[in-house]
Amino acid sequence: MEINLRKLQEIQVVELIGDVDASTAPEVQQEILPLAQPNSKLLLDMSQVPYMSSAGLRVLLSLYRQATAQDGKLVLVGLSEDLQDTMSVTGFLDFFATGDTLEAGLAQLKETVA
Amino acid sequence: MRVIETLTVPGTVDSLSKIAEYVKQVATIAELNHKATYKLRLAVDEIATNIITHGYAEAGLTGEIYLRADLDNSRLTLAIEDTGAIYNPDEKAVLQHEYLSQTLETREAGGLGVHLVLASVDEFRYERAGDRNRNIFIMHRNQ
Protein backbone atom coordinates (compact mmCIF):
# COMPACT_ATOMS: atom_id res chain seq x y z
CA MET A 1 0.00 0.00 0.00
CA GLU A 2 1.31 3.40 -0.94
CA ILE A 3 -0.11 6.63 0.46
CA ASN A 4 1.02 9.91 -1.09
CA LEU A 5 0.15 13.23 0.51
CA ARG A 6 0.40 16.65 -1.07
CA LYS A 7 -1.16 20.07 -0.60
CA LEU A 8 -2.68 22.02 -3.45
CA GLN A 9 -3.25 25.42 -1.89
CA GLU A 10 -5.66 24.79 0.96
CA ILE A 11 -6.66 21.34 -0.29
CA GLN A 12 -5.06 18.21 1.13
CA VAL A 13 -4.75 15.59 -1.61
CA VAL A 14 -4.38 11.96 -0.57
CA GLU A 15 -3.43 9.49 -3.27
CA LEU A 16 -3.91 5.83 -2.43
CA ILE A 17 -2.17 3.17 -4.50
CA GLY A 18 -3.00 -0.50 -4.00
CA ASP A 19 -5.68 -2.79 -2.62
CA VAL A 20 -7.47 -1.76 0.56
CA ASP A 21 -8.33 -4.88 2.56
CA ALA A 22 -8.09 -5.89 6.21
CA SER A 23 -4.30 -6.10 5.96
CA THR A 24 -3.79 -2.59 4.55
CA ALA A 25 -6.79 -0.65 5.97
CA PRO A 26 -5.24 -0.03 9.42
CA GLU A 27 -2.28 1.76 7.81
CA VAL A 28 -4.59 3.85 5.64
CA GLN A 29 -6.73 4.78 8.63
CA GLN A 30 -3.70 5.77 10.69
CA GLU A 31 -2.33 7.99 7.93
CA ILE A 32 -5.43 9.79 6.76
CA LEU A 33 -7.68 10.17 9.81
CA PRO A 34 -5.44 12.84 11.42
CA LEU A 35 -5.74 14.89 8.22
CA ALA A 36 -9.37 15.72 9.01
CA GLN A 37 -8.69 18.96 10.89
CA PRO A 38 -11.16 21.80 11.58
CA ASN A 39 -12.47 23.15 8.27
CA SER A 40 -10.00 21.08 6.29
CA LYS A 41 -10.63 20.19 2.65
CA LEU A 42 -9.71 16.64 1.80
CA LEU A 43 -9.53 15.01 -1.58
CA LEU A 44 -9.08 11.25 -1.66
CA ASP A 45 -7.78 10.08 -5.03
CA MET A 46 -8.72 6.41 -5.38
CA SER A 47 -8.07 6.03 -9.10
CA GLN A 48 -5.25 3.59 -8.34
CA VAL A 49 -7.20 1.44 -5.88
CA PRO A 50 -8.24 -1.65 -7.85
CA TYR A 51 -9.89 -3.34 -4.85
CA MET A 52 -11.58 -2.32 -1.60
CA SER A 53 -13.31 -4.54 0.96
CA SER A 54 -15.52 -3.58 3.91
CA ALA A 55 -12.31 -2.84 5.81
CA GLY A 56 -11.88 0.10 3.42
CA LEU A 57 -15.52 1.12 3.84
CA ARG A 58 -14.95 1.33 7.58
CA VAL A 59 -11.99 3.66 7.02
CA LEU A 60 -14.19 5.84 4.79
CA LEU A 61 -16.88 5.78 7.48
CA SER A 62 -14.40 6.98 10.12
CA LEU A 63 -13.02 9.65 7.82
CA TYR A 64 -16.52 10.84 6.91
CA ARG A 65 -17.47 11.17 10.57
CA GLN A 66 -14.24 12.91 11.49
CA ALA A 67 -14.53 15.35 8.59
CA THR A 68 -18.17 16.06 9.40
CA ALA A 69 -17.41 16.61 13.09
CA GLN A 70 -14.65 19.09 12.15
CA ASP A 71 -16.82 20.98 9.64
CA GLY A 72 -14.45 19.79 6.96
CA LYS A 73 -15.10 18.82 3.35
CA LEU A 74 -14.31 15.47 1.81
CA VAL A 75 -14.42 14.46 -1.85
CA LEU A 76 -13.59 11.04 -3.32
CA VAL A 77 -12.35 10.87 -6.89
CA GLY A 78 -11.50 8.16 -9.39
CA LEU A 79 -13.69 5.39 -7.97
CA SER A 80 -13.69 2.39 -10.30
CA GLU A 81 -16.98 0.80 -11.27
CA ASP A 82 -16.18 -2.07 -8.88
CA LEU A 83 -15.65 0.29 -5.95
CA GLN A 84 -18.78 2.24 -6.83
CA ASP A 85 -20.75 -1.01 -6.84
CA THR A 86 -19.50 -1.88 -3.36
CA MET A 87 -20.30 1.59 -2.04
CA SER A 88 -23.69 1.57 -3.70
CA VAL A 89 -24.84 -1.82 -2.41
CA THR A 90 -23.91 -0.80 1.15
CA GLY A 91 -25.61 2.58 0.90
CA PHE A 92 -22.32 4.49 1.19
CA LEU A 93 -22.24 6.16 -2.18
CA ASP A 94 -25.10 8.57 -1.48
CA PHE A 95 -23.31 10.06 1.51
CA PHE A 96 -20.08 10.99 -0.24
CA ALA A 97 -19.26 13.79 -2.63
CA THR A 98 -17.54 12.19 -5.62
CA GLY A 99 -15.87 13.24 -8.83
CA ASP A 100 -14.58 11.36 -11.86
CA THR A 101 -11.20 13.06 -11.97
CA LEU A 102 -8.78 14.89 -9.70
CA GLU A 103 -9.66 18.15 -11.48
CA ALA A 104 -13.39 17.63 -10.93
CA GLY A 105 -12.75 16.92 -7.25
CA LEU A 106 -10.58 20.00 -6.82
CA ALA A 107 -13.23 22.13 -8.51
CA GLN A 108 -15.85 20.86 -6.06
CA LEU A 109 -13.70 21.71 -3.07
CA LYS A 110 -12.82 25.17 -4.39
CA GLU A 111 -16.46 26.01 -4.96
CA THR A 112 -17.14 25.50 -1.27
CA VAL A 113 -14.77 28.36 -0.42
CA ALA A 114 -17.03 31.00 -1.88
CA MET B 1 -17.49 -32.12 -9.99
CA ARG B 2 -13.77 -31.96 -10.24
CA VAL B 3 -11.48 -30.28 -7.77
CA ILE B 4 -9.42 -27.75 -9.66
CA GLU B 5 -7.32 -26.17 -6.95
CA THR B 6 -6.76 -26.22 -3.23
CA LEU B 7 -4.90 -23.76 -1.01
CA THR B 8 -4.01 -23.87 2.67
CA VAL B 9 -2.73 -20.71 4.37
CA PRO B 10 -2.22 -19.53 7.96
CA GLY B 11 -5.27 -17.77 9.45
CA THR B 12 -3.65 -14.31 9.56
CA VAL B 13 -4.29 -11.07 7.63
CA ASP B 14 -1.02 -11.55 5.78
CA SER B 15 -2.70 -14.44 3.94
CA LEU B 16 -5.42 -12.26 2.39
CA SER B 17 -3.40 -11.36 -0.70
CA LYS B 18 -2.51 -15.00 -1.28
CA ILE B 19 -6.20 -15.93 -0.98
CA ALA B 20 -7.08 -13.17 -3.47
CA GLU B 21 -4.55 -14.53 -5.98
CA TYR B 22 -6.01 -17.99 -5.54
CA VAL B 23 -9.56 -16.79 -6.15
CA LYS B 24 -8.49 -14.91 -9.28
CA GLN B 25 -6.73 -18.01 -10.53
CA VAL B 26 -9.74 -20.34 -10.13
CA ALA B 27 -12.09 -17.68 -11.55
CA THR B 28 -9.89 -17.54 -14.63
CA ILE B 29 -10.05 -21.33 -15.00
CA ALA B 30 -13.84 -21.12 -14.63
CA GLU B 31 -13.92 -18.33 -17.24
CA LEU B 32 -15.83 -15.94 -15.01
CA ASN B 33 -16.00 -12.38 -16.33
CA HIS B 34 -14.30 -9.44 -14.60
CA LYS B 35 -17.31 -8.44 -12.54
CA ALA B 36 -18.07 -11.98 -11.31
CA THR B 37 -14.39 -12.49 -10.49
CA TYR B 38 -14.25 -9.26 -8.48
CA LYS B 39 -17.40 -10.12 -6.56
CA LEU B 40 -16.21 -13.63 -5.74
CA ARG B 41 -12.91 -12.23 -4.52
CA LEU B 42 -14.77 -9.70 -2.37
CA ALA B 43 -17.05 -12.35 -0.84
CA VAL B 44 -14.19 -14.73 -0.07
CA ASP B 45 -12.04 -11.89 1.31
CA GLU B 46 -14.85 -10.77 3.65
CA ILE B 47 -15.40 -14.26 5.06
CA ALA B 48 -11.66 -14.97 5.33
CA THR B 49 -11.29 -11.66 7.22
CA ASN B 50 -14.08 -12.68 9.61
CA ILE B 51 -12.43 -16.05 10.19
CA ILE B 52 -9.06 -14.43 10.87
CA THR B 53 -10.33 -11.67 13.17
CA HIS B 54 -13.31 -13.29 14.93
CA GLY B 55 -12.78 -17.03 14.51
CA TYR B 56 -9.10 -17.03 15.37
CA ALA B 57 -7.62 -13.79 16.82
CA GLU B 58 -10.48 -12.61 19.07
CA ALA B 59 -11.08 -16.17 20.25
CA GLY B 60 -7.40 -16.53 21.15
CA LEU B 61 -6.98 -19.34 18.63
CA THR B 62 -4.63 -19.98 15.76
CA GLY B 63 -5.11 -22.22 12.76
CA GLU B 64 -5.21 -22.54 9.04
CA ILE B 65 -7.66 -21.56 6.33
CA TYR B 66 -8.42 -24.30 3.81
CA LEU B 67 -9.72 -23.37 0.37
CA ARG B 68 -10.98 -25.68 -2.28
CA ALA B 69 -12.53 -25.01 -5.67
CA ASP B 70 -14.78 -27.40 -7.58
CA LEU B 71 -15.91 -26.86 -11.13
CA ASP B 72 -18.68 -28.30 -13.25
CA ASN B 73 -20.29 -27.13 -16.45
CA SER B 74 -22.66 -24.68 -14.82
CA ARG B 75 -20.94 -23.43 -11.70
CA LEU B 76 -17.81 -22.74 -9.71
CA THR B 77 -18.06 -23.82 -6.07
CA LEU B 78 -15.52 -22.45 -3.63
CA ALA B 79 -15.37 -23.73 -0.05
CA ILE B 80 -13.42 -22.20 2.84
CA GLU B 81 -12.91 -24.15 6.04
CA ASP B 82 -11.36 -23.20 9.36
CA THR B 83 -10.98 -24.63 12.84
CA GLY B 84 -11.68 -21.35 14.65
CA ALA B 85 -14.57 -20.44 16.93
CA ILE B 86 -18.02 -21.28 15.62
CA TYR B 87 -19.04 -18.34 13.50
CA ASN B 88 -22.20 -18.42 11.49
CA PRO B 89 -22.42 -15.49 9.05
CA ASP B 90 -26.12 -16.18 8.44
CA GLU B 91 -26.87 -14.94 11.96
CA LYS B 92 -25.29 -11.62 11.06
CA ALA B 93 -27.46 -11.20 7.99
CA VAL B 94 -30.74 -10.75 9.84
CA LEU B 95 -30.30 -7.07 10.68
CA GLN B 96 -29.10 -6.00 7.27
CA HIS B 97 -32.25 -4.26 6.11
CA GLU B 98 -32.48 -2.15 9.21
CA TYR B 99 -28.77 -1.40 8.97
CA LEU B 100 -28.92 -0.04 5.46
CA SER B 101 -31.70 2.36 6.32
CA GLN B 102 -29.44 4.17 8.78
CA THR B 103 -27.28 7.19 7.98
CA LEU B 104 -23.51 6.96 8.19
CA GLU B 105 -23.53 8.93 11.44
CA THR B 106 -25.43 6.29 13.38
CA ARG B 107 -24.19 3.06 11.84
CA GLU B 108 -22.09 0.61 13.73
CA ALA B 109 -18.96 -0.55 11.98
CA GLY B 110 -19.75 -4.29 11.88
CA GLY B 111 -22.04 -6.26 9.61
CA LEU B 112 -20.95 -4.71 6.35
CA GLY B 113 -18.88 -7.67 5.25
CA VAL B 114 -21.65 -10.24 5.43
CA HIS B 115 -23.97 -7.90 3.57
CA LEU B 116 -21.41 -7.66 0.77
CA VAL B 117 -21.03 -11.44 0.68
CA LEU B 118 -24.74 -11.97 0.20
CA ALA B 119 -24.91 -9.26 -2.46
CA SER B 120 -21.91 -10.59 -4.38
CA VAL B 121 -22.24 -14.32 -4.97
CA ASP B 122 -25.02 -16.31 -6.61
CA GLU B 123 -25.33 -18.69 -3.66
CA PHE B 124 -23.83 -18.68 -0.19
CA ARG B 125 -24.20 -21.03 2.73
CA TYR B 126 -22.57 -21.88 6.02
CA GLU B 127 -22.33 -25.30 7.60
CA ARG B 128 -20.58 -26.90 10.52
CA ALA B 129 -18.48 -29.93 9.51
CA GLY B 130 -16.98 -31.75 12.49
CA ASP B 131 -14.68 -29.25 14.20
CA ARG B 132 -14.68 -26.98 11.18
CA ASN B 133 -16.67 -24.02 9.94
CA ARG B 134 -17.38 -24.35 6.25
CA ASN B 135 -18.46 -21.41 4.08
CA ILE B 136 -19.54 -22.21 0.55
CA PHE B 137 -19.68 -19.74 -2.34
CA ILE B 138 -21.22 -20.59 -5.70
CA MET B 139 -20.91 -18.60 -8.92
CA HIS B 140 -22.95 -19.50 -11.99
CA ARG B 141 -20.80 -19.71 -15.10
CA ASN B 142 -23.42 -18.88 -17.75
CA GLN B 143 -23.21 -15.10 -17.31
Side-chain angles (χ1 to χ4, degrees), chain B residues 69-112:
Chain B
D70 296 271
L71 193 62
D72 66 19
N73 287 338
S74 61
R75 52 194 207 163
L76 169 64
T77 303
L78 209 150
I80 303 186
E81 295 183 357
D82 66 87
T83 57
I86 296 178
Y87 184 80
N88 184 351
D90 287 340
E91 288 166 8
K92 291 253 168 196
V94 180
L95 297 168
Q96 290 305 317
H97 185 74
E98 195 181 317
Y99 179 84
L100 288 179
S101 64
Q102 295 175 3
T103 67
L104 292 192
E105 277 85 359
T106 57
R107 286 186 186 197
E108 291 183 31
L112 274 173

Side-chain angles (χ1 to χ4, degrees), chain B residues 7-139:
Chain B
L7 175 76
T8 301
V9 290
T12 61
V13 287
D14 294 335
S15 296
L16 289 175
S17 58
K18 206 171 272 180
I19 292 171
E21 283 314 306
Y22 169 82
V23 174
K24 286 188 219 172
Q25 192 186 337
V26 298
T28 303
I29 296 170
E31 297 177 322
L32 296 189
N33 64 28
H34 169 85
K35 202 167 203 138
T37 301
Y38 188 93
K39 287 180 165 182
L40 179 61
R41 176 195 173 180
L42 180 61
V44 172
D45 186 43
E46 295 294 349
I47 293 296
T49 299
N50 280 349
I51 291 168
I52 291 161
T53 55
H54 302 298
Y56 286 133
E58 283 172 13
L61 299 169
T62 56
E64 316 263 15
I65 295 178
Y66 308 87
L67 296 103
R68 166 194 162 118
D70 296 271
L71 193 62
D72 66 19
N73 287 338
S74 61
R75 52 194 207 163
L76 169 64
T77 303
L78 209 150
I80 303 186
E81 295 183 357
D82 66 87
T83 57
I86 296 178
Y87 184 80
N88 184 351
D90 287 340
E91 288 166 8
K92 291 253 168 196
V94 180
L95 297 168
Q96 290 305 317
H97 185 74
E98 195 181 317
Y99 179 84
L100 288 179
S101 64
Q102 295 175 3
T103 67
L104 292 192
E105 277 85 359
T106 57
R107 286 186 186 197
E108 291 183 31
L112 274 173
V114 175
H115 176 76
L116 282 172
V117 172
L118 297 175
S120 297
V121 292
D122 292 319
E123 297 174 44
F124 172 76
R125 64 175 190 274
Y126 166 85
E127 54 196 39
R128 187 79 186 156
D131 65 343
R132 290 185 176 193
N133 297 297
R134 180 186 292 152
N135 290 277
I136 298 173
F137 310 79
I138 295 173
M139 298 301 278

